[in-house]
Amino acid sequence: MSSTTPLRVAVLVGSTREGRFAPVVVKWLTGHLGQRDDLRADVVDLAETPLPTVLPAFGQDPAPEAVQALALVTPRLAAADAFVFVTPEYNHSFPASLKNAIDWHGVEWHGKPVAFVSYGGLSGGLRAVEQLRVVMAELNAMTIRNTVSFHNAFGAFGADGRVDDPAVDTAAKALLDQLTWWAHALRDAKSARPYAA
């Protein structure tokens, strides 16, 4: 694949809670992604594509209804060169729906970079991000250092969906620049040599 081919970035929306704030954050993020010629976003919203909560026993095939649900998500994750997880913080951690989506997949994460955009109260979702880093390391993914976190998220956005603090937009550019660097590096490496899980 050419180095000029845009990178495919799957934006995984972790919250499925009724009345969730996630769509505001995702709209802001996809606005940034849409300004770049080197990235193509695919929003994978777990509220719109719910996955079963009961995983099959090890070595067993998933049930037919699970296969149908996975068909709406798995190919999109497999095609992605990179990921951005948009996550709130629930009880000092990340949502069960996000962990469920992670656990349904394996090789789709291997050798790919993951960035995080989090939101919440005083912590801005950073405790969720730190736990996600450990989980994704186990799945052979590369989590990037830069994050964007919205502290007291409900007050961070104006009525037009823009953020009031220009430093946040600067942080988003830095996050996407770093994600892009890692995605190119890992995609190039995998084209020369298959990833060894």
Side-chain angles (χ1 to χ4, degrees), residues 6-12 33 38-42 44 76-85 108-115 141-142 144 175-176 178-184 186-187 190:
L7 296 162
R8 294 162 296 193
V9 179
V11 177
L12 202 61
L33 285 161
D38 55 345
L39 303 175
R40 294 288 177 270
D42 177 20
V44 180
R76 295 162 71 187
L77 301 183
D81 297 301
F83 304 97
V84 180
F85 288 3
E108 292 80 8
W109 312 117
H110 291 183
K112 296 179 184 179
V114 182
M142 169 64 206
I144 68 164
L175 176 141
L176 294 176
Q178 196 174 67
L179 182 69
T180 300
W181 189 93
W182 276 106
H184 275 296
L186 292 169
R187 186 172 76 176
K190 287 183 292 186

Side-chain angles (χ1 to χ4, degrees), residues 104-196:
W104 269 108
H105 298 92
V107 296
E108 292 80 8
W109 312 117
H110 291 183
K112 296 179 184 179
V114 182
F116 303 102
V117 174
S118 64
Y119 60 95
L122 289 175
S123 75
L126 290 175
R127 292 175 289 209
V129 169
E130 291 310 305
Q131 292 184 36
L132 280 164
R133 288 186 189 283
V134 176
V135 172
M136 297 316 294
E138 179 64 18
L139 290 164
N140 298 300
M142 169 64 206
T143 63
I144 68 164
R145 179 188 178 278
N146 286 27
T147 62
V148 176
S149 61
F150 291 100
H151 305 264
N152 298 314
F154 289 101
F157 291 83
D160 59 359
R162 296 180 186 216
V163 294
D164 298 326
D165 183 357
V168 177
D169 291 318
T170 301
K173 182 183 184 311
L175 176 141
L176 294 176
D177 286 347
Q178 196 174 67
L179 182 69
T180 300
W181 189 93
W182 276 106
H184 275 296
L186 292 169
R187 186 172 76 176
D188 293 349
K190 287 183 292 186
S191 69
R193 183 177 301 106
Y195 182 75

